Amino acid sequence: MLYKPAKQSLINTVILLRSCSIIIQIALVLFVHFFLEYELPWLPIFFIIVLEVSFNIGCYLYCQDHPNNYKLNLFIQLLADILFLGCLLYFSGGATNAFVSLLLVPIAIAAVTLSTLQLTLITACALLTYSLLLWLMPMHVMHGNMQGHFIGMWINFIFSAAVVSLVISRMAKAIIGNEITIAKYREKQLKQEKIIALGLASAQVTHDLATPLATIRLLTDELMEEAKHSAIINELDIQVDRCSRNLHAFRDMSLEIKNNVKQQLNIDSLFEQIQHHCTLNYPNADIDYELHPHATEQLLLTSDSSLMPAILNVINNAIKASAKKQLKKITLTSKVANQTLQITVRDFGDGFSAEHFNQLGRDPIHSEQGLGMAMFLTNASFERLGGRLTLSNHLQGGAQVMITLPLHNSSKSNSSKSNREH
């Protein structure tokens, strides 16, 4: 796919090539008249050249104001080039003109820029033009063996047009496909580099927090020995314990992700974990669960330590979005379809903006609550497990995020595992 600047540049290149061809046409006409002293119908030839100049100027002005009609503009220009060239050839020797092979140029341009249908039409018009030029040749030119020679040239032109339209178009599509694949690979590599950079930064922060947290633990123990019945110190001790547990859990999770440790998780167990975490972390939130099991004892998903934090991050963002409208209500629904588990989280906030649709989850972006960075890592976690994140706005207001994760049958997993053991 060509971007708009590249498309406009290609249109301008075609217009520039036509301008150069017009200059060459005028130079050839003057050369034939003054040096070769051929008698040609100068009036129709110069009239066609004037029309060609007017058309070229009009194309330039129109394409500057309408850059979006890229393929249609190029298609019309190539058809016009065939028409102008055919008319010039008709008044300057027809199929005997040495420049009749220039009819292949529009076919070559169409092969690398236009669709298959438009390429077919351009090729058909070029073949029809050449055939008409051959058919309208004067009979006195066909004396001797010249008739066979011109028919051979016509067959050669058909063969050349077929080769250009088929081979070049296939090669161009293959090159474009390779460029798209390389671009996707580079985008994936850049995304992985961002994730690695964030992981290194997180590891450094964790390491830096370990020492002061240990110091706080020692100070807390000393304070508890001096004032054993202080409620404030007891609460401080509870919070320090919580920080320590979270820090150790983060270290364990990072180590598992680094070693690519994965396990099979029953979706019924996943639903129980989601409800447990939501009850523990969001006790005041009004969460409407519609987690319907569908033969959960037979369906498993591949999970690692990042799955539950990623799901909880989506839920946390939904609760924050609803809280902006003085609501703490969200809905969680699930569906199994086409061997995938689809979990939809809907909030009752303002919904996603156009900027969120274009960037959220794909790149780290600025956000009031750090939403962009968290969603970037969340999306990366789902993609690593073969899933994806889909953003949309609900028809009745608010935003909804659909988490899609691949499933597989437990019976197939057990049979394949037993086969590997045997």
Side-chain angles (χ1 to χ4, degrees):
M1 181 180 293
L2 293 172
Y3 295 101
K4 285 185 178 181
K7 293 177 179 179
Q8 189 62 35
S9 176
L10 183 58
I11 291 288
N12 293 336
T13 301
V14 172
I15 294 174
L16 179 61
L17 287 175
R18 188 180 301 110
S19 301
C20 295
S21 68
I22 291 172
I23 296 173
I24 294 173
Q25 290 167 14
I26 296 174
L28 287 175
V29 169
L30 296 176
F31 176 78
V32 169
H33 177 71
F34 290 105
F35 291 93
L36 299 183
E37 298 181 353
Y38 284 180
E39 292 295 330
L40 294 175
W42 307 114
L43 183 61
I45 289 178
F46 278 107
F47 179 73
I48 294 170
I49 293 176
V50 170
L51 287 179
E52 199 171 359
V53 172
S54 302
F55 176 79
N56 202 36
I57 296 174
C59 286
Y60 177 78
L61 297 176
Y62 180 82
C63 292
Q64 297 301 315
D65 297 332
H66 303 80
N68 294 328
N69 299 328
Y70 155 69
K71 288 194 173 183
L72 180 59
N73 291 341
L74 190 56
F75 176 71
I76 293 175
Q77 290 190 57
L78 293 179
L79 284 180
D81 288 335
I82 294 174
L83 176 62
F84 289 134
L85 183 58
C87 293
L88 288 173
L89 292 173
Y90 174 77
F91 290 105
S92 58
T96 63
N97 194 307
F99 294 98
V100 70
S101 59
L102 289 177
L103 288 170
L104 292 173
V105 174
I107 301 176
I109 296 175
V112 297
T113 55
L114 300 181
S115 63
T116 303
L117 177 60
Q118 292 172 327
L119 171 61
T120 303
L121 293 175
I122 292 292
T123 305
C125 290
L127 291 174
L128 179 62
T129 301
Y130 191 98
S131 301
L132 287 175
L133 291 173
L134 185 63
W135 179 264
L136 297 175
M137 285 179 59
M139 292 302 298
H140 65 84
V141 181
M142 297 293 186
H143 62 83
N145 295 326
M146 295 305 296
Q147 182 176 4
H149 173 73
F150 290 128
I151 293 176
M153 290 178 58
W154 178 67
I155 296 174
N156 178 66
F157 183 84
I158 294 176
F159 177 76
S160 300
V163 170
V164 170
S165 60
L166 295 176
V167 176
I168 293 183
S169 63
R170 287 179 179 270
M171 292 175 63
K173 290 179 180 178
I175 292 173
I176 293 174
N178 291 335
E179 290 179 350
I180 293 175
T181 302
I182 293 173
K184 289 182 178 179
Y185 177 76
R186 287 177 178 172
E187 183 179 356
K188 185 177 180 180
Q189 286 295 105
L190 290 173
K191 190 173 184 179
Q192 291 299 323
E193 290 177 3
K194 293 176 183 178
I195 295 173
I196 292 173
L198 291 172
L200 292 174
S202 301
Q204 184 63 39
V205 170
T206 304
H207 182 269
D208 294 341
L209 285 175
T211 301
L213 191 60
T215 304
I216 294 172
R217 162 58 61 195
L218 293 174
L219 295 175
T220 305
D221 292 339
E222 292 180 2
L223 290 173
M224 289 188 66
E225 291 179 359
E226 296 177 0
K228 296 183 179 180
H229 302 289
S230 174
I232 296 177
I233 296 177
N234 289 334
E235 180 63 25
L236 178 62
D237 184 63
I238 293 173
Q239 297 302 322
V240 171
D241 281 336
R242 183 178 179 184
C243 291
S244 298
R245 288 195 303 269
N246 290 338
L247 193 61
H248 287 297
F250 178 78
R251 285 177 173 175
D252 295 338
M253 181 179 67
S254 301
L255 185 62
E256 290 182 3
I257 294 174
K258 179 181 178 181
N259 296 329
N260 198 24
V261 177
K262 295 180 180 179
Q263 62 270 2
Q264 305 302 320
L265 180 64
N266 186 283
I267 63 175
D268 188 34
S269 176
L270 175 67
F271 295 159
E272 292 178 358
Q273 292 184 37
I274 292 174
Q275 292 177 347
H276 173 73
H277 282 283
C278 290
T279 303
L280 182 64
N281 296 314
Y282 316 109
N284 298 324
D286 181 12
I287 303 178
D288 184 14
Y289 296 100
E290 297 180 12
L291 303 176
H292 305 295
H294 299 270
T296 55
E297 68 280 1
Q298 297 180 356
L299 296 177
L300 301 174
L301 57 88
T302 301
S303 171
D304 64 11
S305 300
S306 66
L307 176 61
M308 189 55 60
I311 295 176
L312 290 179
N313 180 63
V314 175
I315 296 173
N316 180 56
N317 289 334
I319 292 175
K320 287 182 177 180
S322 296
K324 290 182 178 180
K325 288 197 170 183
Q326 307 302 320
L327 294 171
K328 287 191 175 181
K329 179 181 179 181
I330 65 169
T331 60
L332 268 74
T333 60
S334 72
K335 183 176 69 171
V336 174
N338 300 324
Q339 285 298 105
T340 61
L341 172 63
Q342 299 175 357
I343 301 176
T344 303
V345 182
R346 181 204 167 187
D347 62 57
F348 295 84
D350 297 325
F352 294 118
S353 64
E355 181 183 4
H356 283 161
F357 279 121
N358 294 329
Q359 296 182 354
L360 197 58
R362 296 181 177 89
D363 295 295
I365 61 175
H366 174 73
S367 177
E368 295 178 358
Q369 299 91 14
L371 175 69
M373 184 68 69
M375 285 298 290
F376 172 71
L377 295 175
T378 297
N379 190 33
S381 299
F382 292 137
E383 288 181 350
R384 190 174 58 255
L385 297 173
R388 67 179 183 274
L389 205 64
T390 306
L391 309 180
S392 62
N393 286 324
H394 198 274
L395 295 177
Q396 298 178 357
Q400 63 180 16
V401 177
M402 186 172 69
I403 304 166
T404 304
L405 297 168
L407 294 172
H408 53 85
N409 194 289
S410 60
S411 59
K412 293 182 180 180
S413 300
N414 293 332
S415 61
S416 61
K417 182 178 179 180
S418 61
N419 290 334
R420 288 195 301 267
E421 291 175 353
H422 290 297

